[in-house]
Amino acid sequence: MKETEIDWSNLTFSYTKTDYNVRCTYKDGKWGEIEVSDSEYIPLHIAATCLHYGQESFEGLKAFRGKDGKVRIFRMIENARRFIKSAEGLKMQPLPEEKFCEMVRKVVKLNERFIPPYGTGASLYIRPLEIGISPRVGVSPATDYMVVMLVSPVGPYFKAGFKPTKVCISREYDRVAPKGTGAIKVGGNYGASLVAGEKAHELGYSVMLYLDPKEKKYLDECGAANFYAIRDNTYITPASESILPSITNKSLRQLALDLGMKVEERQVPLEELETFDEIGACGTAAVCSPVSEVHDLDTGKKYVISPDGTVGPVTIKLYNKLRAIQWGEEPDVHGWCEILD
Ligand SMILES: Cc1ncc(COP(=O)(O)O)c(C=O)c1O
């Protein structure tokens, strides 16, 4: 596709073919050179461990075309570290941080013409992926691995400003186990969430808000985003071993501190929902996604946080602050963005 054919302002969060992807293979006990490919396909052994035993992990990060025309990649090192943790959690070969960053820079540079212009609200989504490629019939880890990084221009989550959504709780579904893989980003977690996610959609909710899988007493996370709440001058977010440590959440906690707020990272009992001024989901796709109501499908209880569907002032402030850093509109005092040469 020619970049002139892309309607930047109307992109959604979906796949658009770009020029190149980059690949790196671990074989004979070492990572090879970074390869550039213009194919959207990978040759794969029919008995590869990624196909049979779920040896697959991925990441998601973004590059932005700033106000000054420069390209900024947001907190790439954090994704590199989480990618290592995910690999370790599936007995895969971890990709060294520096190699991860080199691959990200390369795939962004090679597809520079697909980085949406400043002012459109769109950005370039970067999707690193690791798979076990050795054939195995018995359950055991591969010896060889492949990392692929692809990119796609994606639109802003909220086109016409914030739109608060309703979410639901159901004790019928868990996406992860208490001592399972919830804290790493592996495909199996998402496969396991599809039935619950579709059920939430069918009932008119944007996502399922999961309770902790052990006791079902505490809030865990929202589909593919962390949960946060605001009460008085405090930013509250669940501490749980079964949620993904979100890089957006980590950034919002820092921005909340910068704004003079208190930050609490702790278990959040379900009943505490009644006391919050604002709640939302946070992640790379939307930054902050405000939630107006939580419906407990098992008890019938409705927690109404924003009766008139307006978005709270703290959510707006945190959202604007993070976006301004990503677009180069405000100083990046924490050194979160890498400017591409
Ligand atoms: C399960 C889950 N939780 C939270 C997040 C948000 O994480 P981040 O802010 O790093 O995108 C994601 C998205 O990556 C996710 O898949």
Side-chain angles (χ1 to χ4, degrees):
M1 189 186 287
K2 289 200 180 77
E3 70 266 35
T4 48
E5 291 169 9
I6 299 178
D7 182 1
W8 301 111
S9 300
N10 284 309
L11 282 170
T12 56
F13 196 81
S14 57
Y15 177 78
T16 299
K17 184 184 185 317
T18 61
D19 290 335
Y20 302 106
N21 57 83
V22 296
R23 303 165 182 212
C24 188
T25 304
Y26 184 86
K27 212 172 171 357
D28 302 325
K30 59 177 192 308
W31 288 103
E33 294 299 313
I34 300 170
E35 293 163 30
V36 176
S37 174
D38 60 4
S39 167
E40 291 173 285
Y41 296 89
I42 41 180
L44 202 53
H45 193 288
I46 55 173
T49 60
C50 62
L51 297 177
H52 297 257
Y53 303 123
Q55 274 201 307
E56 186 272 347
S57 71
F58 65 101
E59 270 305 325
L61 64 158
K62 281 178 173 175
F64 302 84
R65 173 84 62 190
K67 196 176 178 187
D68 53 6
K70 292 181 180 159
V71 176
R72 287 171 174 75
I73 307 175
F74 188 68
R75 303 198 81 169
M76 154 169 76
I77 197 73
E78 296 287 336
N79 294 91
R81 291 177 185 150
R82 198 167 65 185
F83 202 49
I84 290 174
K85 290 217 162 63
S86 298
E88 288 170 347
L90 293 184
K91 273 285 172 202
M92 302 201 296
Q93 185 64 37
L95 183 74
E97 277 174 29
E98 196 31 59
K99 196 95 173 177
F100 180 98
C101 295
E102 213 184 313
M103 290 182 78
V104 171
R105 287 182 200 112
K106 191 159 188 138
V107 76
V108 172
K109 194 104 198 120
L110 284 165
N111 293 292
E112 203 164 349
R113 69 189 188 95
F114 291 97
I115 305 173
Y118 173 74
T120 56
S123 54
L124 189 73
Y125 183 70
I126 306 153
R127 167 57 63 84
L129 167 82
E130 176 163 359
I131 51 174
I133 55 173
S134 310
R136 293 282 184 275
V137 172
V139 180
S140 61
T143 41
D144 298 346
Y145 292 89
M146 180 187 257
V147 169
V148 183
M149 292 198 191
L150 58 99
V151 297
S152 181
V154 294
Y157 207 79
F158 301 105
K159 280 210 183 65
F162 276 135
K163 213 170 148 264
T165 62
K166 295 178 184 172
V167 305
C168 62
I169 287 173
S170 165
R171 288 158 197 76
E172 290 292 301
Y173 306 95
D174 290 315
R175 64 185 282 281
V176 293
K179 297 272 178 202
T181 51
I184 55 176
K185 200 164 168 64
V186 301
N189 295 347
Y190 298 84
S193 74
L194 294 175
V195 171
E198 286 307 299
K199 164 123 190 191
H201 290 158
E202 278 164 25
L203 296 173
Y205 300 101
S206 62
V207 286
M208 193 66 83
L209 169 55
Y210 290 96
L211 297 178
D212 79 278
K214 189 173 176 195
E215 297 185 78
K216 311 260 178 177
K217 270 170 64 177
Y218 304 101
L219 300 177
D220 237 359
E221 62 178 334
C222 284
N226 275 182
F227 174 87
Y228 73 90
I230 309 293
R231 189 176 53 222
D232 302 327
N233 198 34
T234 307
Y235 179 99
I236 301 159
T237 193
S240 164
E241 61 184 6
S242 49
I243 66 173
L244 191 75
S246 153
I247 296 159
T248 311
N249 195 353
K250 188 174 181 178
S251 310
L252 294 176
R253 292 199 296 274
Q254 182 60 54
L255 295 178
L257 290 172
D258 295 351
L259 290 171
M261 296 177 67
K262 282 199 291 187
V263 170
E264 293 177 9
E265 210 182 341
R266 57 164 170 84
Q267 285 185 317
V268 182
L270 168 61
E271 304 74 50
E272 205 176 339
L273 271 178
E274 308 221 52
T275 69
F276 295 135
D277 303 328
E278 302 176 29
I279 63 169
C282 60
T284 296
V287 180
C288 309
S289 175
V291 171
S292 54
E293 295 183 24
V294 181
H295 295 184
D296 187 328
L297 300 181
D298 304 312
T299 63
K301 187 161 174 58
K302 292 187 176 176
Y303 300 87
V304 181
I305 284 82
S306 170
D308 54 0
T310 52
V311 183
V314 179
T315 292
I316 294 174
K317 219 186 285 180
L318 290 171
Y319 175 87
N320 286 340
K321 192 96 193 145
L322 190 56
R323 297 311 296 253
I325 294 170
Q326 293 173 330
W327 300 118
E329 295 162 351
E330 278 193 26
D332 177 19
V333 294
H334 299 291
W336 288 340
C337 300
E338 175 173 313
I339 296 181
L340 203 65
D341 287 336

